[in-house]
Amino acid sequence: MRPPVLVLVLPLTLLLTACSGGDQKVASTESPSPSVAPTTAAPTPTAVVSTPSPTASPTPAPKKAAIDGDVDGDGKPDAVKTTAERITVTLSTTGKQVTAPVHADSPAAPKVLGSKDVDRDGFAEVFVQTVQGASTSFATPYRFDGKVLRELQLDGQPALLGFGGSVQHGDGFRCTDQGLVEVRKAESSTGTSYTVSLAVYRMTATSLVLVRSSSGTAPQGSPEVEAAYTIDCGSVGEGE
């Protein structure tokens, strides 16, 4: 009968050490957990919606004022003729004639005093001397709008702008750079101190419309009194 075999059971670590012949470090199979810094999510950008502004209607550019004598605005002077009943403008470029009635105090053809683009619309207004007095005369303006020539009205009647006068009375008018007509009158009982009145008119398509008026006193020889005897309106007063 064979004797029983004694089996010695050793721990696994001692067995591995014995097989390798020395100390052996055993690497851990677990990796250390990395330190993860907390992250802050970037804010989601807010979309900016651009709302286009409504397109505004363009403002028409103001026309360049016509030169004196250029009734139709083509850059060339036009021929103006009058009879006792009518004014006729012959347009230089096309040869077309436009006319308007004249209300004069004489059977003779009234004098054309000159022209000026008062309202700065690109067409020069024509001024005709429709009334001839002993010391004071009066001019009526005519306006062309590109189609029709019109006699301008004031208070329902043909407009009359006075100029000239005597020692005790004066009339005059001036065209301003703002498209207005200033009408001045000076009256005196002594010939040394005058009451001066000013009426400012705006020119429309068919008439002169009062904008404002004022009055005051001024001595003889002052600019206010002198202005009440003269015309200051481009070529108006020089004649054509």
Side-chain angles (χ1 to χ4, degrees), residues 74-147:
D74 65 355
K76 302 175 183 178
D78 302 294
V80 182
K81 301 293 183 182
T82 60
T83 67
E85 293 82 23
R86 302 195 72 78
I87 174 175
T88 300
V89 179
T90 303
L91 307 181
S92 59
T93 298
T94 63
K96 178 183 177 181
Q97 291 186 332
V98 291
T99 66
V102 167
H103 297 90
D105 67 342
S106 169
K111 181 181 179 181
V112 179
L113 296 174
S115 59
K116 168 73 173 178
D117 187 1
V118 179
D119 56 0
R120 305 179 70 83
D121 65 346
F123 304 106
E125 283 72 51
V126 179
F127 291 74
V128 176
Q129 181 177 311
T130 52
V131 176
Q132 173 67 62
S135 60
T136 303
S137 298
F138 295 86
T140 299
Y142 292 80
R143 181 180 183 275
F144 183 61
D145 62 3
K147 294 181 179 180

Side-chain angles (χ1 to χ4, degrees), residues 134-219:
S135 60
T136 303
S137 298
F138 295 86
T140 299
Y142 292 80
R143 181 180 183 275
F144 183 61
D145 62 3
K147 294 181 179 180
V148 181
L149 182 68
R150 289 187 175 90
E151 174 189 64
L152 294 186
Q153 305 291 298
L154 177 59
D155 298 330
Q157 301 291 329
L160 296 176
L161 306 177
F163 59 96
S166 63
V167 174
Q168 295 182 327
H169 177 81
D171 285 273
F173 64 90
R174 171 178 175 263
C175 303
T176 74
D177 292 338
Q178 291 75 39
L180 303 174
V181 180
E182 296 180 349
V183 176
R184 296 180 185 272
K185 295 179 180 291
E187 296 176 300
S188 175
S189 58
T190 62
T192 56
S193 179
Y194 290 78
T195 298
V196 180
S197 61
L198 169 67
V200 181
Y201 295 90
R202 173 174 54 85
M203 186 174 290
T204 70
T206 59
S207 60
L208 296 179
V209 178
L210 182 65
V211 176
R212 62 180 182 275
S213 61
S214 60
S215 64
T217 58

